[in-house]
Amino acid sequence: MAALFRGCRGLLLRWNNHADLAYVSTRSMASKTPVGFIGLGNMGSPMAKNLLKNGYPVIATDVFPESCKELQDLGAQVVDSPAEVAEKADRIITMLPSSPNVIDVYTGANGILKKVKKGTLLIDSSTIDPAVSKEMAVAAEKMGAVFMDAPVSGGVGAASMAKLTFMVGGVEEEYNAAQELLTCMGANVVYCGQVGSGQAAKLCNNMLLAIGMTGTAETMNLGIRLGLDPKLLAKILNMSSGRCWSSDTYNPVPGVMEGVPSANNYQGGFGTTLMAKDLGLAQNTATNTKTPIPLGSLAHQIYRVMCSRGYANKDFSSVFQFLREEEGQ
């Protein structure tokens, strides 16, 4: 009994010495307490659904109220603002399009930090400038909350099947609490380091993805022009050293694969506008760190031109169609 008392006393002392962090750490023991979710777009909606499937009550909001209806029908509580979410939940996930959106949702007039409870765990899965993630972490810390960046890779299909990859940056002691929620939505959850490191990993991945997709589109187009059957060419590439995700999982040529955007007039998937945005972020970070990215810069220019040529709302694999149309000019 004495040993038990000493153990309890030690826990109490640690609680008193590290009150705010200890409070957040207990989120991992809170299990099925409500989770806030802000941003119910193409990615956020299936992510929130997977939290519901795993038994977590979800309190949600979106700037477009109609985006909330399906989730509400599945049992989520819908509220009017991020601040109201913060009043009702001490674990909140955000999935937003851009840095300005994140800044507004966290620090705006009706933002999370206006009503956030001390000890709240804030997980941002948006893809934004790493510097903005760091700014949000500082602002959250001033309110006694903990902010972690956890951008994702995998696209809408992976979001629906809970097979996303999360790249997490933040206080390492809170990683387990974040991981509890993220594993409901993804197959891989990787701790990358301090706040902003998740964003850094995501931007590097997406720059390579854009370069790889452009290269695959160029290669497939050349092969077709040389008289090769596209399915045969894809088969050869995928058993050879040129094989990559863009060739074997997300081929950009219509008719080569089923269940990908190229088979559906490039609808759904990961939009060209978002890819151009991510490449712009990569370009900015490269400039700030004096890092040469010649292929990344070219990919950025290609996707920016695509946005001005009617491809903005199509999947980024539509670069194949863009290149085909460029032939006639």
Side-chain angles (χ1 to χ4, degrees):
M1 179 68 72
L4 178 61
F5 175 78
R6 284 195 299 272
C8 291
R9 184 173 180 273
L11 285 172
L12 183 60
L13 287 172
R14 286 194 293 274
W15 173 275
N16 288 333
N17 290 335
H18 306 283
D20 290 346
L21 286 179
Y23 181 74
V24 182
S25 294
T26 57
R27 296 284 68 78
S28 60
M29 295 183 285
S31 190
K32 301 299 193 283
T33 56
V35 177
F37 206 106
I38 301 170
L40 300 174
N42 289 338
M43 294 293 290
S45 182
M47 289 167 67
K49 287 177 188 176
N50 283 323
L51 287 172
L52 286 171
K53 287 178 185 176
N54 280 273
Y56 289 92
V58 171
I59 300 169
T61 193
D62 191 276
V63 68
F64 299 108
E66 61 271 18
S67 300
C68 302
K69 187 178 186 309
E70 185 178 4
L71 204 67
Q72 188 173 31
D73 291 342
L74 293 172
Q77 179 183 352
V78 174
V79 297
D80 293 330
S81 70
E84 195 172 346
V85 173
E87 281 186 304
K88 298 175 180 291
D90 59 12
R91 294 183 290 181
I92 301 172
I93 298 168
T94 51
M95 185 53 145
L96 304 161
S98 67
S99 295
N101 298 120
V102 170
I103 292 170
D104 183 57
V105 162
Y106 278 89
T107 65
N110 292 305
I112 292 170
L113 297 183
K114 293 295 182 184
K115 297 287 185 177
V116 71
K117 293 178 283 187
K118 187 171 287 189
T120 296
L121 177 61
L122 305 169
I123 303 172
D124 180 41
S125 288
S126 317
T127 299
I128 60 173
D129 190 323
V132 173
S133 293
K134 293 175 183 177
E135 290 173 15
M136 295 303 100
V138 170
E141 186 178 12
K142 289 178 180 177
M143 303 303 295
V146 172
F147 177 97
M148 304 186 84
D149 59 305
V152 304
S153 178
V156 175
S160 299
M161 296 184 288
K163 291 185 177 180
L164 292 168
T165 292
F166 287 89
M167 293 151 272
V168 184
V171 180
E172 189 170 7
E173 289 78 8
E174 302 310 325
Y175 172 64
N176 287 339
Q179 188 179 35
E180 177 202 336
L181 297 178
L182 300 181
T183 51
C184 296
M185 302 176 285
N188 303 295
V189 182
V190 183
Y191 180 70
C192 300
Q194 64 183 356
V195 170
S197 60
Q199 298 293 351
K202 172 63 186 291
L203 294 180
C204 289
N205 176 78
N206 275 23
M207 183 174 74
L208 180 59
L209 177 60
I211 294 168
M213 180 57 77
T214 304
T216 299
E218 287 183 352
T219 298
M220 293 296 296
N221 189 36
L222 176 61
I224 292 167
R225 290 288 295 272
L226 291 172
L228 291 170
D229 176 78
K231 286 187 176 181
L232 174 65
L233 177 56
K235 180 179 178 181
I236 293 169
L237 292 174
N238 293 335
M239 61 174 64
S240 305
S241 56
R243 177 175 176 261
C244 65
W245 186 84
S246 295
S247 68
D248 72 359
T249 303
Y250 211 82
N251 199 285
V253 181
V256 169
M257 296 181 67
E258 296 181 359
V260 294
S262 62
N264 188 35
N265 195 29
Y266 301 103
Q267 300 304 305
F270 184 61
T272 295
T273 298
L274 291 175
M275 179 56 87
K277 179 210 76 173
D278 289 358
L279 289 168
L281 292 172
Q283 182 72 69
N284 290 340
T285 57
T287 299
N288 292 337
T289 57
K290 296 181 172 59
T291 305
I293 53 165
L295 294 181
S297 295
L298 284 172
H300 183 212
Q301 294 305 313
I302 289 169
Y303 279 97
R304 286 182 64 190
V305 172
M306 287 175 64
C307 288
S308 68
R309 297 276 184 86
Y311 292 88
N313 296 320
K314 292 191 174 186
D315 179 73
F316 82 107
S317 62
S318 62
V319 65
F320 172 78
Q321 189 179 56
F322 170 73
L323 292 172
R324 295 280 283 183
E325 290 185 356
E326 287 294 293
E327 293 172 8
Q329 297 185 15

